[in-house]
Amino acid sequence: MHAASPHLSQNPSPDPDTAAAALDRVLMARSAPLTSGLSPISLSLAWQDWAQHLASQPGQALRLAALAQAGAVEWAGHCASGLCSDDETVQRDPRFASEDWRAWPWSGLAHAYKRSERWWDEAMRLDGLTRHHAEVVRTFAHQWLDLLSPSNLPFNPEVLRRTRETAGANLVQGAQHAFDDWRRDHGLAPLQPPEREFRPGIEVATTPGAVVMRNRLVELIQYAPTTATVQAEPVLIVPSWIMKYYILDLSPHNSMVRWLTEQGHTVFILSWKNPDAGDAQLGMDDYLRLGVFDSLARIAELVPGEPVHACGYCLGGTLLSIGAAALARPGQVAGAERMAPLASVSLLAAETDFSEPGELGVLIDEAQVQLLEAVMAERGFLSGRQMAGSFQFLHSRDLVWSTRMQEYLLGQRSQPSDLMAWNADVTRMPARMHGEYLRRCYLHNDLAEDRYPVEGRPVSLSDIRQPMFVVGTEKDHVSPWRSVYKVLRLTETALTFVLTSGGHNAGIVSEPGHPRRHYALLACGAEDPWMSPDDWQQAAPRHEGSWWTAWHDWLLAHGSGRQVPARTIAPEAALMPAPGAHVMVRYPD
């Protein structure tokens, strides 16, 4: 083999493939704002797939034409008879809940609008149309319908009545709200500040505790005991890194961690760093090692000899399941001997099988991930504003149009709440981690297919032998409960599944005493036969109240039952008081 020329080795010529790829990424990232961060390739492929299937199925085209004609005739008849307000779909839509929409001509407009929505849903029923493309077309069609809704008209009946009642004051107040929002979006203080702020460490995230470990990615918080004795096994909570951890420590009355300490548990929780450009190369392995594994090692030092009840929420639950599987396999992971063993695993609204993901799956395919990777490569992270924009796009009817009508046309601001304040406290995501997560979970479903690598070796959830407690929520659009339920098919251990009322956030933050809460619970043994989600729902007994109490009872049943003196936080272990420093950091996007 001939030695390489010193000149060539010191000054290698640029790789044309790398240069071309870099140019493509730059152009893609610069064009992203023109399409609001959405891939035009994904959208065009979906519309092309739908249009070509429609063109190749003249019978379906005739069916849709007949539906449109029948709908028009029905609408005309309803308008002539004055019965448009009797349409149940109109009455169930909160945009048309006001009695003002029952009068002519508004009732006819609302009825025609709902007929259009139903027609587009029928238009997706084409043989051969891929599920993903059907969801993309349906989503974008409904986006346009939401934009064109009669409820968004500046002269709709609610606005006209309100304007008459206030002599136009609502429009003046709405203009003020719009100006305040513009100032806030441009980094200026609003002229009318919110009536109440929810600031971490002051109004929210106030449960007493201390940071007992810090690395470049997380702070580990230990909470002070509130009972004379505590359960021997501590609880470790791994929250999602999208948004900040304190959704589980909101106001004192609905703080999960405060409630757990009051029940006699020693509680630890992770507070993820809000990453910046210097963290661009942090990957999923770093989140697993620095987040889950380092925390288990620190807990083993603080609470020696005791196993841990580990709990993960949303993406934190996905990460925890990966870590639990890695620790359960032969050979485990490097440094496992220093970590506290797991007594149980609890997953809250967390997906482990992404074959049927929630709403975000509509926006995730190969072209969209490539666009996101190009955008993130420019800055090293995905900004919180960009992530929030995706949710706003998917929920534009509620988060944009209905809100804007309420605030700008009716002049009524939504009352601030701790959950709304937390939802606005967005975080960033490192470019490498987010790309790996989207590809390995959403695109390739590696975890469910036993391909997800930890330290170079794939893990399998079937290796987990600890008992599991898994919670899904009835109205979850981020992690649909039937998708969460798939973990029963992937594991071979005793598992208790809970289906609770509410959505992805409000269903989990469901403290005892909260009105109109219920849940269904059914335990499945490791040897029990498989039950479909619908069969499980039929068999599971329903209970009124909060699922928190059932979880507490389950933790007691799957622990040693031993009580030990309350574990106070040693002064030398406390780096700073809770809620720590990471939760305070905000970066302008």
Side-chain angles (χ1 to χ4, degrees):
M1 178 179 293
H2 297 287
S5 165
H7 176 74
L8 291 176
S9 62
Q10 294 175 12
N11 299 283
S13 59
D15 185 341
D17 290 338
T18 303
L23 175 61
D24 290 341
R25 282 196 300 270
V26 170
L27 294 176
M28 196 178 299
R30 299 295 168 82
S31 65
L34 301 177
T35 58
S36 300
L38 301 174
S39 170
I41 297 175
S42 297
L43 179 57
S44 62
L45 287 175
W47 279 106
Q48 181 182 2
D49 191 12
W50 177 79
Q52 289 184 345
H53 277 90
L54 181 63
S56 66
Q57 299 174 32
Q60 293 291 353
L62 290 173
R63 177 182 69 87
L64 293 174
L67 283 174
Q69 183 180 31
V73 171
E74 180 190 359
W75 175 78
H78 274 264
C79 288
S81 62
L83 297 177
C84 290
S85 60
D86 290 341
D87 189 335
E88 292 184 0
T89 61
V90 173
Q91 296 178 12
R92 288 197 301 264
D93 193 321
R95 292 172 292 182
F96 309 118
S98 171
E99 287 296 325
D100 297 318
W101 289 98
R102 304 293 179 264
W104 186 91
W106 310 112
S107 58
L109 285 175
H111 182 78
Y113 175 76
K114 298 304 291 185
R115 292 288 311 184
S116 299
E117 284 189 331
R118 292 196 293 271
W119 186 91
W120 271 106
D121 289 338
E122 286 292 326
M124 296 304 106
R125 295 173 50 194
L126 298 177
D127 295 336
L129 181 62
T130 65
R131 183 178 65 186
H132 176 67
H133 286 164
E135 289 299 322
V136 170
V137 175
R138 178 184 289 109
T139 297
F140 276 84
H142 277 274
Q143 294 299 315
W144 280 104
L145 288 171
D146 291 340
L147 170 63
L148 300 173
S149 170
S151 61
N152 296 332
L153 294 173
F155 49 85
N156 74 54
E158 292 184 76
V159 175
L160 294 176
R161 176 177 55 81
R162 181 73 173 168
T163 303
R164 288 195 302 268
E165 292 174 348
T166 65
N170 59 304
L171 300 179
V172 176
Q173 188 64 51
Q176 179 65 63
H177 293 159
F179 185 54
D180 281 345
D181 288 347
W182 179 88
R183 291 178 60 88
R184 188 182 297 108
D185 291 342
H186 289 79
L188 304 173
L191 298 181
Q192 292 184 336
E195 296 178 7
R196 179 182 177 187
E197 294 184 1
F198 293 90
R199 296 162 292 181
I202 301 176
E203 288 85 14
V204 294
T206 60
T207 303
V211 175
V212 294
M213 183 201 77
R214 180 186 293 122
N215 57 35
R216 68 168 296 188
L217 185 59
V218 302
E219 291 177 332
L220 178 66
I221 299 173
Q222 179 181 352
Y223 290 96
T226 58
T227 55
T229 61
V230 295
Q231 298 298 316
E233 297 84 6
V235 175
L236 169 64
I237 302 176
V238 183
S240 171
W241 52 84
I242 297 178
M243 319 300 286
K244 295 181 180 176
Y245 85 89
Y246 65 88
I247 186 174
L248 300 177
D249 186 24
L250 285 173
S251 303
H253 74 279
N254 60 2
S255 166
M256 176 184 283
V257 295
R258 182 184 291 267
W259 186 85
L260 286 171
T261 61
E262 291 172 350
Q263 310 312 305
H265 294 282
T266 302
V267 181
F268 294 85
I269 197 169
L270 296 186
S271 175
W272 299 99
K273 178 185 178 182
N274 194 3
D276 55 28
D279 302 310
Q281 291 306 308
L282 287 175
M284 286 288 288
D285 285 344
D286 297 304
Y287 271 68
L288 184 61
R289 177 174 54 84
L290 297 174
V292 177
F293 293 160
D294 278 8
S295 296
L296 289 173
R298 180 57 174 155
I299 292 174
E301 296 173 353
L302 296 170
V303 190
E306 299 292 353
V308 172
H309 292 299
C311 171
Y313 178 27
C314 188
L315 295 184
T318 305
L319 188 71
L320 174 62
S321 66
I322 295 170
L327 291 172
R329 70 186 178 184
Q332 298 184 301
V333 295
E337 68 281 356
R338 298 185 294 106
M339 303 177 198
L342 301 183
S344 69
V345 176
S346 297
L347 305 179
L348 314 181
E351 291 179 289
T352 51
D353 185 322
F354 290 79
S355 58
E356 295 179 344
E359 294 178 329
L360 287 177
V362 175
L363 301 180
I364 297 175
D365 54 26
E366 185 66 41
Q368 183 62 49
V369 171
Q370 282 189 350
L371 179 63
L372 282 175
E373 288 174 337
V375 171
M376 291 188 294
E378 287 266 292
R379 305 177 68 183
F381 56 83
L382 185 71
S383 72
R385 185 185 297 272
Q386 290 168 315
M387 193 67 197
S390 297
F391 284 100
Q392 283 190 335
F393 174 80
L394 291 170
H395 292 273
S396 61
R397 187 184 81 178
D398 299 321
L399 299 181
V400 179
W401 304 118
S402 294
T403 300
R404 294 296 179 261
M405 195 274 286
Q406 192 80 12
E407 296 184 348
Y408 297 168
L409 298 180
L410 298 182
Q412 299 172 341
R413 277 288 198 196
S414 301
Q415 291 298 315
S417 68
D418 50 8
L419 192 58
M420 290 171 60
W422 167 84
N423 195 57
D425 195 1
V426 294
T427 59
R428 297 168 164 181
M429 282 170 287
R432 180 181 173 189
M433 180 280 298
H434 196 49
E436 290 177 347
Y437 165 69
L438 292 177
R439 288 189 176 280
R440 289 177 176 174
C441 293
Y442 275 94
L443 288 185
H444 302 150
N445 204 20
D446 285 347
L447 182 57
E449 299 294 336
D450 298 340
R451 293 191 300 262
Y452 192 97
V454 175
E455 294 184 352
R457 293 186 294 141
V459 299
S460 174
L461 296 180
S462 63
D463 289 335
I464 298 175
R465 290 295 179 266
Q466 291 85 359
M468 299 183 70
F469 188 93
V470 180
V471 180
T473 64
E474 292 177 345
K475 299 179 181 179
D476 198 331
H477 299 291
V478 178
S479 303
W481 78 265
R482 284 179 170 81
S483 181
V484 173
Y485 183 84
K486 290 176 181 289
V487 71
L488 274 78
R489 184 176 55 82
L490 303 176
T491 54
E492 299 178 7
T493 187
L495 192 150
T496 298
F497 191 81
V498 174
L499 179 61
T500 182
S501 56
H504 187 73
N505 296 327
I508 300 301
V509 184
S510 181
E511 71 281 1
H514 196 293
R516 299 180 298 280
R517 292 298 189 190
H518 62 264
Y519 65 93
L521 180 150
L522 187 64
C524 303
E527 304 299 326
D528 289 346
W530 161 256
M531 296 177 66
S532 71
D534 292 333
D535 289 341
W536 180 95
Q537 195 171 22
Q538 290 291 326
R542 172 172 161 148
H543 306 270
E544 298 300 322
S546 169
W547 66 270
W548 290 10
T549 57
W551 184 39
H552 167 65
D553 294 340
W554 186 90
L555 291 174
L556 296 185
H558 291 82
S560 65
R562 291 182 294 112
Q563 296 270 330
V564 299
R567 300 180 176 106
T568 57
I569 303 172
E572 62 272 16
L575 303 181
M576 66 181 302
H582 287 345
V583 78
M584 301 297 184
V585 177
R586 298 192 183 199
Y587 294 109
D589 288 334

